Short mmCIF file of all heavy atoms in Angstrom, two decimals:
data_model
loop_
_atom_site.label_atom_id
_atom_site.label_comp_id
_atom_site.label_asym_id
_atom_site.label_seq_id
_atom_site.Cartn_x
_atom_site.Cartn_y
_atom_site.Cartn_z
N ASN A 73 -36.02 3.20 -4.82
CA ASN A 73 -36.98 2.38 -4.07
C ASN A 73 -37.17 1.05 -4.79
O ASN A 73 -38.27 0.73 -5.24
CB ASN A 73 -38.32 3.11 -3.93
CG ASN A 73 -38.15 4.51 -3.37
OD1 ASN A 73 -37.64 4.69 -2.28
ND2 ASN A 73 -38.56 5.51 -4.15
N PRO A 74 -36.12 0.26 -4.92
CA PRO A 74 -36.12 -0.88 -5.84
C PRO A 74 -37.24 -1.89 -5.60
O PRO A 74 -37.41 -2.38 -4.47
CB PRO A 74 -34.75 -1.53 -5.60
CG PRO A 74 -34.32 -1.04 -4.26
CD PRO A 74 -34.88 0.34 -4.13
N PRO A 75 -38.02 -2.19 -6.63
CA PRO A 75 -39.07 -3.21 -6.51
C PRO A 75 -38.45 -4.59 -6.34
O PRO A 75 -37.47 -4.93 -7.01
CB PRO A 75 -39.83 -3.10 -7.83
CG PRO A 75 -39.46 -1.76 -8.40
CD PRO A 75 -38.06 -1.51 -7.93
N VAL A 76 -39.03 -5.38 -5.48
CA VAL A 76 -38.46 -6.70 -5.22
C VAL A 76 -38.49 -7.57 -6.48
O VAL A 76 -37.56 -8.36 -6.73
CB VAL A 76 -39.19 -7.39 -4.04
CG1 VAL A 76 -40.65 -7.63 -4.35
CG2 VAL A 76 -38.50 -8.69 -3.66
N MET A 77 -39.51 -7.41 -7.32
CA MET A 77 -39.58 -8.25 -8.51
C MET A 77 -38.57 -7.82 -9.57
O MET A 77 -38.15 -8.63 -10.39
CB MET A 77 -41.00 -8.25 -9.07
CG MET A 77 -42.00 -8.99 -8.16
SD MET A 77 -41.40 -10.62 -7.59
CE MET A 77 -41.30 -11.52 -9.15
N MET A 78 -38.19 -6.56 -9.58
CA MET A 78 -37.09 -6.14 -10.44
C MET A 78 -35.81 -6.83 -10.02
O MET A 78 -35.01 -7.28 -10.85
CB MET A 78 -36.92 -4.62 -10.38
CG MET A 78 -35.73 -4.07 -11.16
SD MET A 78 -34.17 -4.05 -10.21
CE MET A 78 -34.54 -2.78 -9.01
N HIS A 80 -35.68 -9.70 -8.50
CA HIS A 80 -35.83 -11.11 -8.86
C HIS A 80 -35.44 -11.31 -10.33
O HIS A 80 -34.71 -12.27 -10.68
CB HIS A 80 -37.28 -11.55 -8.63
CG HIS A 80 -37.51 -13.01 -8.86
ND1 HIS A 80 -37.97 -13.52 -10.06
CD2 HIS A 80 -37.35 -14.08 -8.03
CE1 HIS A 80 -38.07 -14.82 -9.97
NE2 HIS A 80 -37.71 -15.20 -8.74
N ASP A 119 -38.53 -16.47 -4.05
CA ASP A 119 -39.44 -15.55 -4.73
C ASP A 119 -39.68 -14.36 -3.82
O ASP A 119 -39.01 -14.20 -2.79
CB ASP A 119 -40.74 -16.24 -5.13
CG ASP A 119 -41.49 -16.86 -3.94
OD1 ASP A 119 -41.26 -16.42 -2.80
OD2 ASP A 119 -42.29 -17.78 -4.17
N GLU A 120 -40.65 -13.52 -4.16
CA GLU A 120 -40.89 -12.30 -3.39
C GLU A 120 -41.17 -12.59 -1.93
O GLU A 120 -40.71 -11.86 -1.05
CB GLU A 120 -42.06 -11.52 -4.00
CG GLU A 120 -42.41 -10.27 -3.19
CD GLU A 120 -43.51 -9.44 -3.83
OE1 GLU A 120 -44.06 -9.85 -4.86
OE2 GLU A 120 -43.81 -8.36 -3.28
N ASP A 121 -41.92 -13.63 -1.65
CA ASP A 121 -42.29 -13.92 -0.26
C ASP A 121 -41.17 -14.62 0.49
O ASP A 121 -40.84 -14.25 1.62
CB ASP A 121 -43.56 -14.79 -0.23
CG ASP A 121 -44.77 -14.05 -0.77
OD1 ASP A 121 -44.88 -12.84 -0.51
OD2 ASP A 121 -45.58 -14.68 -1.47
N TYR A 124 -37.94 -12.99 2.25
CA TYR A 124 -38.03 -12.43 3.60
C TYR A 124 -38.21 -13.50 4.67
O TYR A 124 -37.85 -13.28 5.83
CB TYR A 124 -39.21 -11.46 3.67
CG TYR A 124 -39.13 -10.34 2.67
CD1 TYR A 124 -39.93 -10.34 1.54
CD2 TYR A 124 -38.23 -9.30 2.84
CE1 TYR A 124 -39.86 -9.30 0.62
CE2 TYR A 124 -38.15 -8.26 1.91
CZ TYR A 124 -38.97 -8.28 0.80
OH TYR A 124 -38.89 -7.27 -0.11
N LEU A 153 -36.66 -2.93 0.10
CA LEU A 153 -37.27 -3.15 -1.21
C LEU A 153 -38.75 -2.79 -1.19
O LEU A 153 -39.42 -2.87 -0.16
CB LEU A 153 -37.11 -4.62 -1.61
CG LEU A 153 -35.69 -5.18 -1.57
CD1 LEU A 153 -35.70 -6.68 -1.83
CD2 LEU A 153 -34.78 -4.48 -2.57
N THR A 154 -39.25 -2.39 -2.36
CA THR A 154 -40.67 -2.07 -2.50
C THR A 154 -41.43 -3.32 -2.92
O THR A 154 -41.04 -4.01 -3.87
CB THR A 154 -40.87 -0.97 -3.55
OG1 THR A 154 -40.12 0.19 -3.17
CG2 THR A 154 -42.34 -0.59 -3.68
N LEU A 155 -42.49 -3.62 -2.21
CA LEU A 155 -43.29 -4.80 -2.51
C LEU A 155 -44.09 -4.58 -3.79
O LEU A 155 -44.21 -3.46 -4.31
CB LEU A 155 -44.22 -5.12 -1.35
CG LEU A 155 -43.51 -5.43 -0.01
CD1 LEU A 155 -44.53 -5.78 1.06
CD2 LEU A 155 -42.49 -6.54 -0.17
N SER A 156 -44.68 -5.65 -4.30
CA SER A 156 -45.36 -5.59 -5.60
C SER A 156 -46.57 -4.67 -5.60
O SER A 156 -46.98 -4.19 -6.67
CB SER A 156 -45.79 -7.00 -6.03
OG SER A 156 -44.65 -7.79 -6.31
N ASP A 157 -47.14 -4.38 -4.42
CA ASP A 157 -48.28 -3.47 -4.40
C ASP A 157 -47.86 -2.02 -4.63
O ASP A 157 -48.70 -1.14 -4.84
CB ASP A 157 -49.08 -3.61 -3.10
CG ASP A 157 -48.26 -3.29 -1.85
OD1 ASP A 157 -47.18 -2.68 -1.97
OD2 ASP A 157 -48.70 -3.65 -0.74
N GLY A 158 -46.57 -1.76 -4.57
CA GLY A 158 -46.05 -0.42 -4.86
C GLY A 158 -46.24 0.59 -3.76
O GLY A 158 -45.83 1.75 -3.90
N ILE A 159 -46.83 0.21 -2.63
CA ILE A 159 -47.13 1.18 -1.57
C ILE A 159 -46.51 0.79 -0.23
O ILE A 159 -46.69 1.50 0.75
CB ILE A 159 -48.65 1.37 -1.40
CG1 ILE A 159 -49.33 0.06 -1.01
CG2 ILE A 159 -49.27 1.95 -2.66
CD1 ILE A 159 -50.81 0.22 -0.66
N ARG A 160 -45.79 -0.32 -0.20
CA ARG A 160 -45.16 -0.75 1.05
C ARG A 160 -43.72 -1.17 0.78
O ARG A 160 -43.38 -1.63 -0.31
CB ARG A 160 -45.92 -1.92 1.68
CG ARG A 160 -47.31 -1.59 2.18
CD ARG A 160 -47.98 -2.83 2.74
NE ARG A 160 -48.15 -3.84 1.69
CZ ARG A 160 -48.10 -5.16 1.90
NH1 ARG A 160 -47.87 -5.62 3.12
NH2 ARG A 160 -48.29 -6.00 0.90
N LYS A 161 -42.89 -1.00 1.82
CA LYS A 161 -41.51 -1.47 1.76
C LYS A 161 -41.29 -2.57 2.80
O LYS A 161 -41.99 -2.63 3.81
CB LYS A 161 -40.53 -0.32 2.04
CG LYS A 161 -40.45 0.73 0.94
CD LYS A 161 -39.33 1.72 1.22
CE LYS A 161 -39.17 2.72 0.10
NZ LYS A 161 -37.99 3.59 0.29
N ARG A 162 -40.32 -3.40 2.50
CA ARG A 162 -39.95 -4.43 3.45
C ARG A 162 -38.44 -4.66 3.34
O ARG A 162 -37.87 -4.54 2.25
CB ARG A 162 -40.71 -5.73 3.18
CG ARG A 162 -40.57 -6.77 4.30
CD ARG A 162 -41.51 -7.93 4.09
NE ARG A 162 -41.38 -8.91 5.17
CZ ARG A 162 -42.07 -10.05 5.25
NH1 ARG A 162 -42.97 -10.33 4.30
NH2 ARG A 162 -41.91 -10.88 6.26
N LEU A 271 -43.11 6.73 -1.30
CA LEU A 271 -43.67 5.87 -2.33
C LEU A 271 -44.88 6.49 -3.03
O LEU A 271 -45.08 6.29 -4.23
CB LEU A 271 -44.07 4.52 -1.72
CG LEU A 271 -42.90 3.64 -1.28
CD1 LEU A 271 -43.42 2.36 -0.62
CD2 LEU A 271 -42.01 3.27 -2.47
#
Side-chain angles (χ1 to χ4, degrees):
N73 308 301
V76 63
M77 291 313 295
M78 175 273 291
H80 185 265
D119 58 23
E120 177 176 4
D121 295 322
Y124 303 105
L153 307 173
T154 302
L155 300 182
S156 292
D157 61 16
I159 61 173
R160 293 178 298 147
K161 290 187 177 187
R162 191 171 180 181
L271 291 177

